[in-house]
Amino acid sequence: MTSVISNVQPMIGIIGLGYVGLPLAVAFGNRYPTIGFDINVPRVAELRAGKDVSLECTTEELANAPHLSYTTDLDDLGACNVYIVTVPTPITESKTPDLRPLISASNLLGRVIARGDVVIYESTVYPGATEEVCVPLLETGSGLTMNQDFLVGYSPERINPGDKEHRLRTIKKVTAGSTPAAADFVDALYGSIIDAGTHKASSIRVAEAAKVIENTQRDVNIALVNELALIFSRLGIDTEEVLQAAGSKWNFLPFRPGLVGGHCIGVDPYYLTHKAQEIGYHPEVILAGRRLNDSMGAFVATEVVKLMASRGGIPAQAKALLLGLTFKENCPDLRNTRVVDIAAELGKFGICCDVCDPWASAEEAEREYDIRLVEPRTGNDYDAIIVGVGHRQFADMGIETLRGFGKPNAVVYDVKHLFPRHAVDGRL
C-alpha cells in the first residue's frame, strides 16, 4: 500500500487537546504541519489566543510552534495523514473502564482516514483494547482494512501534570505498531521530537500492558505505605519518622502515604483488573490496594474528628477549613481528586467544610463537585484546619498564618507533611 511511512511528509492531526494532547501538538508543531482538534469550542478559542489554562504549556511555547493550528471542524482533519488520539480514558461509577471518549474518537476518525494513513493511540487502556475496540470502529467507519489500507500504532502517554522537570521531551517514549513497518515509522516519528529517546515494543498489546502497569505498580506501593500509616497510627508512632529511619537503607523505596487521585494512578489499575476478570482471573493484590487507597480520605476525616473530640468534643455547627482540592500539589487538575472524600466524611459528623485552593478553577470545582471555593481570613471560626494538598502557597503561608484562620484551640492536621511534626496536631 502507498503510505505516509514511505514517501509523504507527515501531516499530523492530534485528537484531544488536554494535558496530553496539547504538549504533543506543540512538540510536533515545531517540526511538522500539525492540526490540534478538540470538540471543546472554548478550549480551542483559548489556545488560539495563546493561553493554556491547564498550565502544561506556556504562552511562549504555544507561540513557538510555527506549524501548529487548532480547529473544532472535522473537515479540517482531512488533509492529515497521521492521526494521534489523546482523549481521556476514565472509569465509571462502578469502577469499570469508560471507553466512550475513545470510541467517539475512533468513530470520528473512521469518517476521515484514507488509504495510506496511520492512526496512533496514546490513551491508557487494557492490553488488547486498541485492536479489539478501536480498530473495528476505524474499519467500519472508513470501509478500509488495517494493515491492508491503513496502519495503527500505539505510544502511551507519560505526562505528569504540573511536573516542570519531567516533560514530554525528557521522558522516554514507548512505541509500537500493527506491523514491523508501522512500528518503525511510529518509533522514528516520536524519536524526532523526544530527546530522551524511545523504547520500541514488540506489539501494541505489550505497549498497552507496559503503560497500565506503570501506575498500577505505584498504586500498590502507595497502598502498602498507607496501610503502614494505619498501623502506626494505632501504635502511636509517627509514620514519617519510621519511613525516614527505614529510608536510611540504600534499597528502601521512598513512597509516602497519601490520597491517591488523578487521572492515572487511581484509574489505570481498574483497566488491568477489568481485563483480568474478563479472562477469568480475579486480581487480589491490585484490588485490595485500590480499596485501601480509596479509604484514606475517610481515615483522615476520622482522625481529625478524634482530635476535635479530645479537645472537648465537636461543637454544634462545627466548621473545618480544607486547604487544597486538586488531586496533587501545584497543579490545577481536579480530575478524580480524593480530597473530596475528606469533606464528605466530615459531613457525616455534621461538620461543615469550606475549601480553599489557589490553583483550582472555581467554576470547575462547583460544576464537578458542587464545591464553592473560599478565601480564608484570619480570625475565622474554624474548629479544624486540614492541609489536604501541598500547594506551595500553603507552605509559604507558614503554620502561624494557617492557625490564625481558626479558633485558638483549632485542630491542624497535615496530610502532606508541609510542616514539622511538632507544629501540627496530627498528620498522615
Side-chain angles (χ1 to χ4, degrees):
M1 93 179 155
T2 301
S3 171
V4 64
I5 69 173
S6 57
N7 60 359
V8 180
Q9 180 189 33
M11 183 163 182
I12 300 170
I14 307 292
I15 314 303
L17 295 174
Y19 284 85
V20 175
L22 182 62
L24 196 67
V26 169
F28 277 123
N30 273 283
R31 183 168 184 144
Y32 307 105
T34 303
I35 300 174
F37 172 87
D38 203 294
I39 60 174
N40 186 332
V41 175
R43 173 65 167 165
V44 170
E46 78 179 27
L47 292 175
R48 285 173 173 166
K51 182 179 180 182
D52 172 27
V53 296
S54 74
L55 304 182
E56 288 302 305
C57 294
T58 65
T59 300
E60 291 73 24
E61 287 172 330
L62 295 177
N64 291 327
H67 308 297
L68 174 62
S69 61
Y70 309 99
T71 187
T72 58
D73 190 343
L74 182 60
D75 291 339
D76 292 338
L77 293 176
C80 297
N81 48 34
V82 177
Y83 299 92
I84 304 178
V85 179
T86 61
V87 297
T89 43
I91 54 175
T92 66
E93 290 186 7
S94 58
K95 310 296 187 184
T96 59
D98 183 356
L99 296 178
R100 287 176 297 177
L102 200 59
I103 289 171
S104 177
S106 298
N107 283 328
L108 180 149
L109 285 179
R111 295 157 53 188
V112 297
I113 62 171
R115 284 183 173 82
D117 289 351
V118 179
V119 180
I120 304 169
Y121 288 88
E122 288 218 1
S123 305
T124 303
V125 291
Y126 53 77
T130 299
E131 291 158 299
E132 295 166 7
V133 177
C134 302
V135 168
L137 297 174
L138 295 176
E139 292 180 328
T140 299
S142 66
L144 305 175
T145 302
M146 181 181 73
N147 296 339
Q148 177 180 314
D149 301 309
F150 69 94
L151 298 172
V152 173
Y154 186 75
S155 183
E157 61 90 2
R158 282 177 162 172
I159 295 294
N160 186 26
D163 190 336
K164 300 307 178 185
E165 178 183 356
H166 302 98
R167 309 293 304 278
L168 172 67
R169 292 182 180 274
T170 63
I171 303 172
K172 182 169 284 192
K173 204 82 162 67
V174 174
T175 65
S178 57
T179 68
D184 289 343
F185 171 77
V186 173
D187 194 67
L189 182 67
Y190 281 99
S192 69
I193 64 165
I194 304 296
D195 298 332
T198 61
H199 177 99
K200 185 168 62 175
S202 63
S203 69
I204 289 176
R205 285 166 59 88
V206 167
E208 290 168 327
K211 166 57 181 176
V212 80
I213 71 166
E214 290 175 9
N215 288 315
T216 300
Q217 181 190 62
R218 292 183 65 197
D219 193 44
V220 170
N221 276 283
I222 297 171
L224 171 61
V225 179
N226 275 336
E227 186 160 62
L228 295 176
L230 300 181
I231 295 170
F232 296 144
S233 173
R234 287 162 173 78
L235 292 174
I237 302 173
D238 184 69
T239 302
E240 179 62 19
E241 288 189 36
V242 175
L243 294 176
Q244 287 180 359
S248 63
K249 190 179 182 205
W250 79 93
N251 61 352
F252 187 82
L253 300 177
F255 286 92
R256 289 297 184 270
L259 307 175
V260 183
H263 69 299
C264 286
I265 302 180
V267 171
D268 294 355
Y270 288 119
Y271 275 76
L272 184 57
T273 58
H274 167 80
K275 188 62 176 180
Q277 291 169 328
E278 191 176 76
I279 60 173
Y281 178 79
H282 180 73
E284 298 185 19
V285 173
I286 299 172
L287 288 176
R290 279 279 71 241
R291 288 191 297 270
L292 197 147
N293 284 340
D294 280 347
S295 73
M296 292 308 292
F299 171 76
V300 168
T302 302
E303 290 296 288
V304 170
V305 169
K306 289 178 181 178
L307 287 168
M308 293 171 65
S310 71
R311 297 189 173 186
I314 303 173
Q317 298 180 327
K319 291 178 63 178
L321 174 64
L322 184 52
L323 296 173
L325 181 61
T326 62
F327 89 88
K328 65 183 292 187
E329 66 275 4
N330 306 322
C331 170
D333 197 342
L334 287 173
R335 287 176 295 176
N336 195 37
T337 176
R338 300 271 51 94
V339 179
V340 295
D341 298 343
I342 300 176
E345 191 69 15
L346 289 173
K348 295 178 182 178
F349 292 94
I351 302 172
C352 175
C353 196
D354 284 348
V355 182
C356 167
D357 194 312
W359 285 83
S361 161
E363 293 79 11
E364 187 178 359
E366 189 163 3
R367 180 178 68 251
E368 297 296 328
Y369 300 106
D370 196 26
I371 290 176
R372 289 191 177 185
L373 299 180
V374 304
E375 288 293 333
R377 298 183 303 277
T378 300
N380 279 334
D381 56 346
Y382 293 112
D383 300 283
I385 299 166
I386 306 163
V387 182
V389 184
H391 292 320
R392 61 173 179 262
Q393 288 89 341
F394 302 147
D396 292 343
M397 284 180 185
I399 189 63
E400 294 305 319
T401 297
L402 262 61
R403 284 196 176 277
F405 294 147
K407 295 176 180 177
N409 66 336
V411 167
V412 175
Y413 192 94
D414 187 2
V415 174
K416 298 299 294 183
H417 294 200
L418 280 193
F419 305 103
R421 177 67 184 90
H422 65 82
V424 298
D425 303 299
R427 64 181 186 177
L428 192 57

